[in-house]
Amino acid sequence: MKYVLVTGGVVSGLGKGVTASSIGLILQACGLRVTSIKIDPYLNIDAGTMSPFEHGEVYVLDDGGEVDLDLGNYERFEDIKLTRDNNITTGKIYQYVLEKERRGDYLGKTVQVCLIFGVSTLCSSYMVSVCYMYDTIPVQVVPHITDAIQEWIERVAAIPVDGKDGPADVCIIELGGTIGDIESMPFIEALGQFSYRVGTGNFCLIHVSLVPVLSVVGEQKTKPTQHSVKGLRSLGLTPNILACRSTTPLDENVKEKLSRFCHVLVENIVSLYDVSNIWHVPLLLRDQKAHEAILRALNLKGVAKEPELREWTSRAELCDLLHEPVRVAMVGKYTGLSDSYLSVLKALLHASVACHRKLCIDWVPAGDLEDITAKENPDNYKSAWNLLKGADAVLVPGGFGDRGVEGKILAAKYARENRIPYLGICLGMQIAVIEFARSILGLKDANSTEFDPNTQNPCVIFMPEGSKTHMGGTMRLGSRRTYFQVADCISAKLYGNKDFVDERHRHRYEVNPEMVEQLEAAGLCFTGKDESGRRMEIFELSNHSYFVGVQFHPEFKSRPGKPSALFVGLIAAASGQLNGLLKKSASGLSNGHSPIKPQQHECGTKLANGIHCNGNGVHI
């Protein structure tokens, strides 16, 4: 097994995840099998209980793992299926070591917290590997934590994630955070030991750093990267390759300076400058021969072939050339941070490119649609409604809590009454059912027990097997099967007329099965259910061009070359292509082929980000 470690320096948010994903893609294009691991140094067991404002969206895997959003980048770029163990956290490592202690695996010896240069880590008083001097007192340090990290990496790296037998050729490891963070010290120590143990030729370190330009001087400054590499080397890790983020391509003299002071070959310094969309990042790596530097470091030059990226290049160029817009109103609770809905944005982009439309996102804060905002902040109220009314389609994504729920219900009502294409995901499905019950069935107090536990007409109820006392990992999570109840329906046709489909879930509440007969009699058809027939998975409105709600999260399985069927349906409906699309549905969308033939574009203007939006920069 070969290993590629991606670290970051200077500041966070440089794009280590995209860089790691792009490396994986280009190595796959060289004919190698790839797997990926993300290390998050926080103490949480997983990302499941974290607010989207804290860490972006919670990405859900097939096995129900609630993980960092970078694993979504890995899956989308590399078209692989990862497991919950591909996301390592400090919490998982400590839990693993403490469980071993409880089983008696440490033979009754003392497991204690020791101080290493001010860093707390679990250790034991036996199996001494290093003795540090701290305030002239020797501190004995045992590699329980570092051993656990290395064992975890080796175990997970051997798990196939591409549907083939046997382990991958290369494992790409991304270390979250920034070099120098105190919380990542145990991982850096473990990775230093690991690089030494696997040996030269089996380990390649790529350091992603920032080369800023001060507006006053107008010169690319190398000092931040120099200090970052110095810190990395002082911790026992030496980079093979520097990936330098900048607004413009690095000047040659800047590369030479970095090479001289960072001890990295000039040809191993890669300029990752700003591009029109992130699909160009693998192409930047290829054009600068980054794959050759990686292959040399891993002794794979004679094994790998030249990267084949024609299809990827065509898609990246097509995304830049699209000019006919499709406007989607994203009505949500976390509209101030686009990463909160990252997978939804990616799925919309995949579908828009498949339909040859330029995606324009209008962020609509759900709370601003409510009547109380009309009184307290009329300008925000007017702006939100103008955005909603100007959209070609409406999407209400998943979420938790009652803030903005009434605004989401109003958005669903507007889309239903004005025949605007609508897709409701998870909570977006639930609020559409509530709105239908209120407006069509006349049940004015219809609600979810999540928002009103005493409602007399509970359209949405708490799952009987759920836990109300423990929040982490207690939802209905992971890939579950949905069976189509009606063959002649939009969703079944979009999925290629299959009998069932497997999609990922993350929810505690669901449509009340006791109300289904009443809802269906009024025209809300539940076209997809689970194997028991008691859980509603998909609904469609019979007298609407495209009004679809799903309990699952189709965005998590969308890929650049394999757009999610329901997202393609939404964009196609918004751009007048749905009828033609449904006629071609025999081949289906879930097999990864775009249903729309490529078009030739004579010319076009490159977009700033690939996605246009109202005031919020979106990195795709």
Side-chain angles (χ1 to χ4, degrees):
M1 176 69 72
K2 308 287 186 176
Y3 298 90
V4 175
L5 173 62
V6 179
T7 61
V10 184
V11 294
S12 60
L14 285 178
K16 294 191 304 297
V18 173
T19 303
S21 303
S22 300
I23 292 166
L25 174 69
I26 199 169
L27 291 180
Q28 285 180 328
C30 290
L32 300 171
R33 294 176 60 197
V34 172
T35 185
S36 295
I37 293 174
K38 173 66 186 296
I39 297 174
D40 285 302
Y42 49 68
L43 273 169
N44 302 64
I45 298 296
D46 58 34
T49 58
M50 299 171 71
S51 165
F53 284 126
E54 285 280 326
H55 221 254
E57 75 168 3
V58 177
Y59 189 79
V60 179
L61 302 170
D62 267 5
D63 66 356
E66 297 173 287
V67 297
D68 183 80
L69 58 80
D70 277 322
L71 276 79
N73 282 324
Y74 306 157
E75 287 203 337
R76 283 186 288 268
F77 270 61
E78 300 164 25
D79 194 18
I80 55 180
K81 289 184 179 180
L82 300 172
T83 71
R84 68 178 74 232
D85 286 348
N86 288 83
N87 192 190
I88 304 175
T89 69
T90 300
K92 285 182 179 178
I93 295 296
Y94 273 47
Q95 184 182 54
Y96 172 71
V97 171
L98 288 171
E99 285 176 352
K100 291 181 71 174
E101 186 276 331
R102 289 288 83 189
R103 289 197 304 265
D105 290 4
Y106 297 128
L107 304 176
K109 299 295 184 178
T110 303
V111 177
Q112 60 192 48
V113 177
C114 285
L115 219 54
I116 311 174
F117 299 134
V119 180
S120 291
T121 184
L122 286 174
C123 67
S124 171
S125 59
Y126 78 114
M127 292 174 58
V128 178
S129 64
V130 177
C131 184
Y132 289 103
M133 295 298 294
Y134 188 79
D135 287 341
T136 72
I137 301 173
V139 180
Q140 295 179 333
V141 181
V142 180
H144 286 148
I145 291 296
T146 53
D147 278 359
I149 293 168
Q150 295 175 69
E151 290 168 9
W152 195 300
I153 290 172
E154 287 188 302
R155 174 175 59 83
V156 174
I159 300 173
V161 295
D162 56 3
K164 301 176 182 177
D165 295 330
D169 301 309
V170 181
C171 175
I172 299 167
I173 307 164
E174 179 192 348
L175 176 61
T178 307
I179 292 301
D181 293 345
I182 192 169
E183 61 185 3
S184 63
M185 290 299 183
F187 292 101
I188 293 173
E189 174 62 27
L191 290 165
Q193 295 175 17
F194 189 69
S195 65
Y196 178 76
R197 186 159 61 82
V198 299
T200 305
N202 293 315
F203 191 89
C204 175
L205 198 164
I206 301 174
H207 188 59
V208 182
S209 187
L210 177 67
V211 178
V213 175
L214 299 181
S215 57
V216 177
V217 182
E219 177 188 5
Q220 293 176 334
K221 309 301 288 186
T222 64
K223 195 63 71 177
T225 296
Q226 290 182 45
H227 281 292
S228 181
V229 172
K230 179 181 178 181
L232 187 63
R233 290 166 63 89
S234 71
L235 295 169
L237 289 169
T238 300
N240 301 91
I241 298 170
L242 282 182
C244 297
R245 287 285 291 113
S246 58
T247 54
T248 57
L250 289 185
D251 298 333
E252 285 304 314
N253 65 309
V254 171
K255 285 188 177 182
E256 291 172 2
K257 189 174 182 180
L258 285 170
S259 174
R260 185 162 55 250
F261 290 107
C262 297
H263 302 178
V264 177
L265 295 173
V266 172
E267 56 266 32
N268 287 7
I269 297 176
V270 180
S271 176
L272 294 181
Y273 52 88
D274 292 349
V275 289
S276 53
N277 68 72
I278 62 169
W279 293 345
H280 284 289
V281 177
L283 308 181
L284 283 182
L285 292 171
R286 178 202 61 188
D287 294 344
Q288 296 176 69
K289 308 295 184 184
H291 58 288
E292 293 186 1
I294 296 170
L295 296 174
R296 279 196 303 270
L298 298 177
N299 287 338
L300 290 173
K301 280 289 288 180
V303 177
K305 61 180 183 180
E306 281 297 306
E308 171 51 61
L309 289 168
R310 278 180 296 181
E311 182 181 347
W312 188 272
T313 303
S314 298
R315 190 180 302 114
E317 293 174 349
L318 173 61
C319 184
D320 289 341
L321 294 173
L322 297 175
H323 59 273
E324 190 170 348
V326 58
R327 307 199 71 87
V328 178
M330 183 88 79
V331 184
K333 178 178 176 181
Y334 310 109
T335 54
L337 181 66
S338 60
D339 273 0
S340 301
Y341 304 111
L342 187 62
S343 290
V344 175
L345 289 173
K346 303 294 187 185
L348 284 170
L349 177 66
H350 303 161
S352 299
V353 172
C355 293
H356 299 281
R357 291 295 184 271
K358 180 179 72 177
L359 178 63
C360 301
I361 297 290
D362 287 327
W363 295 99
V364 182
D368 287 355
L369 297 171
E370 298 174 1
D371 293 339
I372 190 172
T373 305
K375 300 176 183 178
E376 297 177 351
N377 197 328
D379 290 341
N380 284 6
Y381 179 81
K382 182 179 179 181
S383 175
W385 275 102
N386 285 342
L387 289 172
L388 185 66
K389 291 178 179 179
D392 301 311
V394 176
L395 192 151
V396 179
F400 298 92
D402 59 359
R403 181 166 64 86
V405 163
E406 293 301 322
K408 296 175 184 179
I409 290 173
L410 289 170
K413 182 177 183 179
Y414 174 81
R416 180 182 60 79
E417 291 181 341
N418 292 276
R419 304 185 66 79
I420 306 297
Y422 175 89
L423 177 60
I425 298 172
C426 196
L427 179 60
M429 171 193 183
Q430 296 170 9
I431 60 97
V433 171
I434 293 169
E435 189 281 320
F436 188 87
R438 291 179 181 178
S439 301
I440 304 301
L441 298 183
L443 305 175
K444 300 302 181 183
D445 71 334
N447 214 328
S448 166
T449 56
E450 180 181 5
F451 315 128
D452 181 5
N454 300 316
T455 178
Q456 296 299 306
N457 292 286
C459 296
V460 179
I461 60 172
F462 191 79
M463 294 187 305
E465 72 273 28
S467 171
K468 293 187 177 181
T469 57
H470 288 70
M471 305 299 286
T474 59
M475 290 184 279
R476 189 166 184 252
L477 292 164
S479 182
R480 307 294 178 109
R481 184 156 291 182
T482 295
Y483 293 87
F484 291 106
Q485 309 296 304
V486 182
D488 187 22
C489 65
I490 291 175
S491 54
K493 291 178 180 178
L494 288 173
Y495 275 108
N497 298 308
K498 294 182 178 180
D499 295 328
F500 59 84
V501 62
D502 296 319
E503 293 282 10
R504 299 177 184 178
H505 293 67
R506 185 176 185 251
H507 64 102
R508 284 192 177 89
Y509 292 81
E510 59 191 10
V511 174
N512 186 353
E514 303 300 327
M515 294 194 68
V516 168
E517 184 176 350
Q518 191 177 0
L519 291 164
E520 288 196 316
L524 195 66
C525 182
F526 291 94
T527 58
K529 300 180 182 180
D530 77 337
E531 66 279 358
S532 71
R534 296 279 295 173
R535 284 198 163 102
M536 305 304 114
E537 296 283 0
I538 307 173
F539 79 65
E540 297 178 22
L541 192 58
S542 55
N543 60 350
H544 196 288
S545 60
Y546 194 85
F547 195 89
V548 177
V550 291
Q551 186 59 71
F552 49 79
H553 290 263
E555 68 270 23
F556 291 140
K557 295 182 75 171
S558 183
R559 304 288 181 264
K562 304 176 182 179
S564 166
L566 296 176
F567 280 87
V568 173
L570 178 72
I571 299 299
S575 55
Q577 303 179 55
L578 184 59
N579 289 336
L581 175 63
L582 294 177
K583 290 178 182 178
K584 300 175 183 178
S585 63
S587 61
L589 305 186
S590 54
N591 60 5
H593 298 288
S594 171
I596 303 190
K597 293 181 179 179
Q599 298 176 358
Q600 296 296 323
H601 296 267
E602 296 177 0
C603 61
T605 304
K606 287 190 175 182
L607 314 181
N609 290 311
I611 295 179
H612 285 238
C613 60
N614 59 308
N616 288 326
V618 178
H619 302 284
I620 63 170

